[in-house]
Coordinates of all heavy atoms in Angstrom, one line a residue:
L186 N 87.4 116.6 88.0 CA 86.6 116.2 89.2 C 85.8 117.4 89.7 O 84.6 117.3 90.0 CB 87.4 115.5 90.3 CG 88.1 114.2 89.9 CD1 89.0 113.7 91.1 CD2 87.0 113.1 89.6
R187 N 86.5 118.6 89.9 CA 85.8 119.8 90.3 C 84.6 120.1 89.4 O 83.6 120.5 89.8 CB 86.8 120.9 90.5 CG 87.6 120.7 91.7 CD 88.3 122.1 92.0 NE 89.2 122.6 91.0 CZ 90.5 122.4 90.9 NH1 91.1 121.6 91.8 NH2 91.2 122.9 89.9
S188 N 84.9 120.1 88.1 CA 84.0 120.5 87.1 C 82.7 119.5 87.1 O 81.6 120.0 87.1 CB 84.6 120.4 85.7 OG 85.6 121.3 85.6
L189 N 83.0 118.3 87.2 CA 81.9 117.3 87.2 C 81.1 117.4 88.5 O 79.8 117.3 88.5 CB 82.4 115.9 87.1 CG 83.0 115.6 85.7 CD1 83.7 114.2 85.7 CD2 82.0 115.6 84.6
E190 N 81.7 117.8 89.6 CA 81.0 118.0 90.9 C 80.1 119.2 90.8 O 79.0 119.2 91.2 CB 82.0 118.1 92.0 CG 81.3 118.1 93.4 CD 80.7 116.9 93.8 OE1 81.2 115.8 93.5 OE2 79.6 116.9 94.5
L191 N 80.6 120.3 90.2 CA 79.9 121.5 90.0 C 78.6 121.3 89.2 O 77.6 121.9 89.5 CB 80.8 122.6 89.4 CG 80.1 124.0 89.3 CD1 79.8 124.6 90.6 CD2 80.9 124.9 88.5
I192 N 78.7 120.6 88.1 CA 77.5 120.4 87.3 C 76.6 119.3 87.8 O 75.7 118.9 87.1 CB 77.9 120.3 85.8 CG1 78.7 119.0 85.6 CG2 78.6 121.5 85.3 CD1 79.1 118.7 84.1
G193 N 76.9 118.7 88.9 CA 76.0 117.7 89.5 C 76.3 116.3 89.0 O 75.5 115.3 89.3
M194 N 77.4 116.0 88.4 CA 77.8 114.7 87.9 C 78.8 114.0 88.8 O 79.2 112.9 88.5 CB 78.3 114.7 86.5 CG 77.3 115.2 85.5 SD 77.9 115.1 83.8 CE 78.3 113.4 83.6
G195 N 79.1 114.6 90.0 CA 80.0 113.9 90.9 C 79.6 112.5 91.3 O 80.5 111.5 91.2
P196 N 78.3 112.3 91.6 CA 77.9 110.9 92.0 C 77.9 109.9 90.9 O 78.0 108.6 91.1 CB 76.5 111.1 92.5 CG 76.3 112.5 92.7 CD 77.3 113.2 91.8
T197 N 78.0 110.4 89.6 CA 77.9 109.4 88.5 C 79.3 109.0 88.0 O 79.4 108.1 87.2 CB 77.1 110.0 87.3 OG1 77.8 111.2 86.9 CG2 75.7 110.4 87.7
I198 N 80.3 109.6 88.5 CA 81.7 109.3 88.1 C 82.0 107.8 88.3 O 82.5 107.2 87.4 CB 82.7 110.2 88.7 CG1 82.6 111.6 88.2 CG2 84.2 109.8 88.3 CD1 83.3 112.6 89.0
S199 N 81.7 107.3 89.5 CA 82.0 105.9 89.8 C 81.3 104.9 89.0 O 81.7 103.8 88.9 CB 81.7 105.7 91.3 OG 80.4 105.9 91.6
K200 N 80.2 105.3 88.3 CA 79.4 104.4 87.4 C 79.7 104.7 86.0 O 79.0 104.1 85.1 CB 77.9 104.6 87.7 CG 77.5 104.4 89.1 CD 76.1 104.7 89.3 CE 75.8 104.8 90.9 NZ 74.7 105.6 91.2
S201 N 80.7 105.6 85.7 CA 80.9 106.0 84.3 C 81.6 105.0 83.4 O 81.5 105.1 82.2 CB 81.7 107.3 84.3 OG 83.0 107.0 84.7
G202 N 82.3 104.1 84.0 CA 83.0 103.1 83.1 C 84.4 103.5 82.8 O 85.2 102.8 82.3
V203 N 84.8 104.7 83.2 CA 86.2 105.2 83.1 C 86.9 104.8 84.4 O 86.8 105.5 85.4 CB 86.2 106.7 82.8 CG1 87.7 107.2 82.6 CG2 85.4 107.1 81.7
S204 N 87.5 103.6 84.4 CA 87.9 103.0 85.6 C 88.9 103.9 86.4 O 88.8 104.0 87.6 CB 88.5 101.7 85.3 OG 89.6 101.7 84.5
K205 N 89.9 104.5 85.8 CA 90.9 105.2 86.5 C 90.3 106.4 87.1 O 90.6 106.8 88.3 CB 92.1 105.6 85.6 CG 92.9 104.5 85.2 CD 94.2 104.9 84.6 CE 95.1 103.7 84.3 NZ 96.4 104.0 83.9
L206 N 89.4 107.2 86.5 CA 88.8 108.4 87.0 C 87.8 107.9 88.1 O 87.7 108.6 89.2 CB 88.1 109.1 85.9 CG 87.5 110.5 86.3 CD1 88.6 111.4 86.8 CD2 86.8 111.1 85.1
A207 N 87.1 106.9 87.9 CA 86.1 106.4 88.9 C 86.9 105.9 90.1 O 86.5 106.2 91.3 CB 85.3 105.2 88.3
D208 N 88.0 105.2 90.0 CA 88.8 104.7 91.1 C 89.3 105.9 91.9 O 89.3 105.9 93.1 CB 90.0 103.9 90.7 CG 89.5 102.5 90.1 OD1 88.3 102.1 90.4 OD2 90.3 101.8 89.5
H209 N 89.8 107.0 91.2 CA 90.3 108.1 91.8 C 89.2 108.9 92.6 O 89.4 109.3 93.8 CB 91.0 109.1 90.9 CG 91.4 110.3 91.6 ND1 92.6 110.3 92.4 CD2 91.0 111.6 91.6 CE1 92.8 111.5 92.9 NE2 91.8 112.3 92.4
Q210 N 88.0 109.0 92.1 CA 86.9 109.6 92.7 C 86.5 108.9 94.0 O 86.3 109.5 95.0 CB 85.7 109.8 91.8 CG 84.5 110.4 92.4 CD 84.6 111.9 92.7 OE1 85.6 112.5 92.3 NE2 83.7 112.4 93.4
I211 N 86.4 107.6 93.9 CA 86.0 106.7 95.0 C 87.0 106.9 96.1 O 86.7 107.1 97.3 CB 85.8 105.3 94.6 CG1 84.6 105.1 93.7 CG2 85.7 104.4 95.8 CD1 84.4 103.8 93.0
E212 N 88.3 106.8 95.8 CA 89.4 106.9 96.7 C 89.4 108.3 97.4 O 89.5 108.5 98.7 CB 90.7 106.7 96.1 CG 92.0 106.8 97.0 CD 93.2 106.5 96.3 OE1 93.2 105.7 95.4 OE2 94.2 107.2 96.6
F213 N 89.2 109.4 96.6 CA 89.1 110.7 97.1 C 88.0 110.8 98.1 O 88.1 111.4 99.1 CB 88.9 111.7 95.9 CG 88.6 113.1 96.4 CD1 89.6 113.9 96.9 CD2 87.4 113.6 96.2 CE1 89.3 115.2 97.3 CE2 87.1 114.9 96.6 CZ 88.0 115.7 97.2
E214 N 86.8 110.4 97.7 CA 85.6 110.5 98.6 C 85.8 109.8 99.9 O 85.4 110.3 100.9 CB 84.4 110.0 97.8 CG 83.9 111.0 96.8 CD 82.6 110.5 96.0 OE1 82.1 109.4 96.4 OE2 82.2 111.2 95.1
R215 N 86.4 108.6 99.8 CA 86.6 107.8 101.1 C 87.5 108.5 102.0 O 87.3 108.6 103.2 CB 87.1 106.4 100.7 CG 86.0 105.5 100.2 CD 86.6 104.1 99.9 NE 85.6 103.3 99.3 CZ 85.8 102.2 98.7 NH1 87.0 101.7 98.5 NH2 84.8 101.5 98.2
S216 N 88.6 109.0 101.4 CA 89.6 109.7 102.3 C 89.1 111.0 102.8 O 89.3 111.3 104.0 CB 91.0 109.8 101.6 OG 90.8 110.7 100.5
L217 N 88.3 111.7 102.0 CA 87.8 112.9 102.5 C 86.7 112.7 103.6 O 86.7 113.4 104.6 CB 87.1 113.7 101.3 CG 86.4 115.0 101.6 CD1 87.3 116.0 102.1 CD2 85.6 115.5 100.3
L218 N 85.9 111.8 103.4 CA 84.9 111.4 104.4 C 85.5 111.0 105.7 O 85.1 111.4 106.8 CB 83.9 110.4 103.9 CG 82.7 110.0 104.8 CD1 81.9 111.2 105.1 CD2 81.8 108.9 104.2
T219 N 86.5 110.1 105.6 CA 87.2 109.6 106.8 C 87.9 110.8 107.5 O 87.8 110.9 108.7 CB 88.3 108.6 106.4 OG1 87.6 107.5 105.8 CG2 89.0 108.1 107.6
A220 N 88.5 111.6 106.8 CA 89.2 112.8 107.4 C 88.2 113.7 108.1 O 88.4 114.2 109.2 CB 90.0 113.6 106.4
F221 N 87.0 113.9 107.4 CA 86.1 114.9 108.0 C 85.5 114.3 109.3 O 85.3 115.0 110.3 CB 85.0 115.1 106.9 CG 83.9 116.1 107.4 CD1 84.3 117.5 107.4 CD2 82.7 115.8 107.7 CE1 83.3 118.4 107.8 CE2 81.7 116.7 108.1 CZ 82.1 118.0 108.1
V222 N 85.1 113.1 109.3 CA 84.5 112.4 110.4 C 85.5 112.3 111.6 O 85.2 112.5 112.7 CB 83.9 111.0 110.1 CG1 83.5 110.3 111.3 CG2 82.8 111.3 109.2
T223 N 86.8 112.0 111.3 CA 87.8 111.8 112.4 C 88.5 113.1 112.8 O 89.0 113.1 113.9 CB 88.9 110.8 112.0 OG1 89.5 111.3 110.8 CG2 88.2 109.4 111.7
R224 N 88.5 114.1 112.1 CA 89.2 115.4 112.4 C 88.3 116.5 112.7 O 88.7 117.6 112.9 CB 90.1 115.8 111.2 CG 91.1 114.8 110.8 CD 91.9 115.2 109.6 NE 92.8 114.1 109.2 CZ 93.5 114.2 108.1 NH1 93.4 115.2 107.3 NH2 94.2 113.1 107.7
T225 N 87.0 116.2 112.8 CA 86.0 117.3 113.3 C 85.1 116.7 114.3 O 85.1 115.5 114.6 CB 85.1 117.8 112.1 OG1 84.2 116.7 111.7 CG2 85.9 118.3 110.9
D226 N 84.3 117.6 114.9 CA 83.3 117.0 115.9 C 82.0 116.8 115.3 O 80.9 116.8 116.0 CB 83.3 118.0 117.1 CG 82.9 119.4 116.7 OD1 82.7 119.7 115.5 OD2 82.7 120.3 117.7
Y227 N 82.0 116.5 114.1 CA 80.7 116.3 113.3 C 79.8 115.2 113.9 O 78.6 115.4 114.0 CB 81.1 115.9 111.8 CG 79.8 115.5 111.0 CD1 79.1 116.5 110.4 CD2 79.5 114.1 110.8 CE1 78.0 116.1 109.7 CE2 78.4 113.8 110.1 CZ 77.7 114.8 109.5 OH 76.5 114.4 108.8
T228 N 80.4 114.1 114.4 CA 79.5 113.1 114.9 C 79.0 113.3 116.3 O 78.2 112.5 116.8 CB 80.4 111.7 115.0 OG1 81.6 112.0 115.8 CG2 80.8 111.3 113.6
F229 N 79.4 114.4 116.9 CA 78.9 114.8 118.2 C 77.5 115.5 118.2 O 76.9 115.6 119.2 CB 79.8 115.7 119.0 CG 81.2 115.0 119.2 CD1 82.3 115.8 119.4 CD2 81.3 113.7 119.4 CE1 83.5 115.3 119.6 CE2 82.6 113.1 119.6 CZ 83.7 113.9 119.7
F230 N 77.1 115.9 117.0 CA 75.9 116.7 116.9 C 74.8 116.0 116.2 O 75.0 115.2 115.2 CB 76.1 118.0 116.0 CG 77.2 118.9 116.6 CD1 78.4 119.1 116.0 CD2 77.0 119.6 117.8 CE1 79.4 119.9 116.6 CE2 77.9 120.4 118.4 CZ 79.1 120.5 117.7
E231 N 73.6 116.1 116.7 CA 72.4 115.5 116.1 C 72.0 116.3 114.9 O 71.5 115.7 114.0 CB 71.3 115.5 117.1 CG 70.1 114.6 116.7 CD 69.1 114.5 117.8 OE1 69.4 114.5 119.0 OE2 67.9 114.2 117.4
H232 N 72.2 117.6 114.9 CA 71.8 118.4 113.8 C 73.0 119.3 113.3 O 73.1 120.5 113.6 CB 70.6 119.3 114.1 CG 69.4 118.6 114.6 ND1 68.6 117.9 113.7 CD2 68.9 118.4 115.8 CE1 67.6 117.3 114.4 NE2 67.7 117.6 115.6
P233 N 73.9 118.7 112.6 CA 75.1 119.4 112.2 C 74.8 120.6 111.2 O 75.7 121.5 111.1 CB 76.0 118.4 111.5 CG 75.0 117.3 111.1 CD 73.9 117.4 112.0
E234 N 73.7 120.7 110.6 CA 73.3 121.8 109.8 C 73.0 123.1 110.6 O 73.1 124.2 110.1 CB 72.3 121.5 108.8 CG 70.9 121.3 109.4 CD 70.6 119.9 110.0 OE1 71.6 119.1 110.0 OE2 69.5 119.8 110.6
A235 N 72.7 122.8 111.9 CA 72.2 124.0 112.8 C 73.3 124.4 113.7 O 73.3 125.5 114.2 CB 71.0 123.6 113.5
E236 N 74.2 123.4 114.1 CA 75.3 123.8 115.1 C 76.6 123.8 114.3 O 76.8 123.2 113.3 CB 75.3 122.6 116.1 CG 74.0 122.5 116.9 CD 74.0 121.4 117.9 OE1 74.9 121.5 118.8 OE2 73.2 120.5 117.7
T237 N 77.5 124.7 114.9 CA 78.7 124.9 114.2 C 79.7 123.7 114.5 O 80.0 123.5 115.7 CB 79.4 126.2 114.6 OG1 78.4 127.3 114.3 CG2 80.7 126.5 113.9
I238 N 80.2 123.1 113.5 CA 81.2 122.0 113.6 C 82.6 122.6 113.7 O 82.9 123.6 113.1 CB 81.2 121.1 112.4 CG1 79.8 120.4 112.3 CG2 82.2 120.1 112.3 CD1 79.5 119.7 111.0
T239 N 83.4 122.0 114.5 CA 84.7 122.5 114.8 C 85.8 121.6 114.2 O 85.6 120.4 114.4 CB 85.0 122.7 116.3 OG1 84.0 123.5 116.8 CG2 86.3 123.4 116.6
Y240 N 86.8 122.1 113.6 CA 87.9 121.3 113.1 C 88.8 121.1 114.3 O 89.3 122.0 115.0 CB 88.7 122.1 112.0 CG 89.9 121.4 111.5 CD1 89.9 120.0 111.1 CD2 91.2 122.0 111.6 CE1 91.0 119.4 110.7 CE2 92.3 121.3 111.2 CZ 92.2 120.0 110.7 OH 93.3 119.4 110.3
L241 N 89.1 119.8 114.6 CA 89.8 119.5 115.8 C 91.4 119.4 115.6 O 92.2 119.3 116.4 CB 89.4 118.1 116.3 CG 87.9 118.0 116.7 CD1 87.6 116.5 117.0 CD2 87.6 119.0 117.8
G242 N 91.8 119.4 114.3 CA 93.2 119.3 113.9 C 93.5 118.0 113.4 O 92.7 117.0 113.4
S243 N 94.7 117.9 112.9 CA 95.2 116.6 112.3 C 95.4 115.7 113.5 O 96.2 115.9 114.4 CB 96.5 116.9 111.5 OG 96.8 115.8 110.8
M244 N 94.7 114.6 113.4 CA 94.8 113.6 114.5 C 96.1 112.8 114.5 O 96.4 112.2 113.5 CB 93.6 112.6 114.4 CG 92.3 113.3 114.6 SD 92.1 114.0 116.3 CE 90.5 114.6 116.2

Side-chain angles (χ1 to χ4, degrees):
L186 293 175
R187 285 193 301 263
S188 301
L189 293 171
E190 186 68 36
L191 180 67
I192 61 175
M194 291 183 65
T197 62
I198 294 172
S199 59
K200 300 172 192 156
S201 68
V203 183
S204 62
K205 288 191 179 191
L206 188 59
D208 291 347
H209 178 72
Q210 178 69 11
I211 290 167
E212 182 181 321
F213 169 75
E214 288 179 1
R215 284 180 183 165
S216 62
L217 179 62
L218 184 60
T219 300
F221 186 73
V222 170
T223 59
R224 297 177 192 173
T225 67
D226 57 358
Y227 174 80
T228 56
F229 298 153
F230 300 112
E231 189 172 335
H232 302 287
E234 70 280 358
E236 302 178 59
T237 303
I238 295 171
T239 305
Y240 174 58
L241 302 174
S243 193
M244 298 293 182

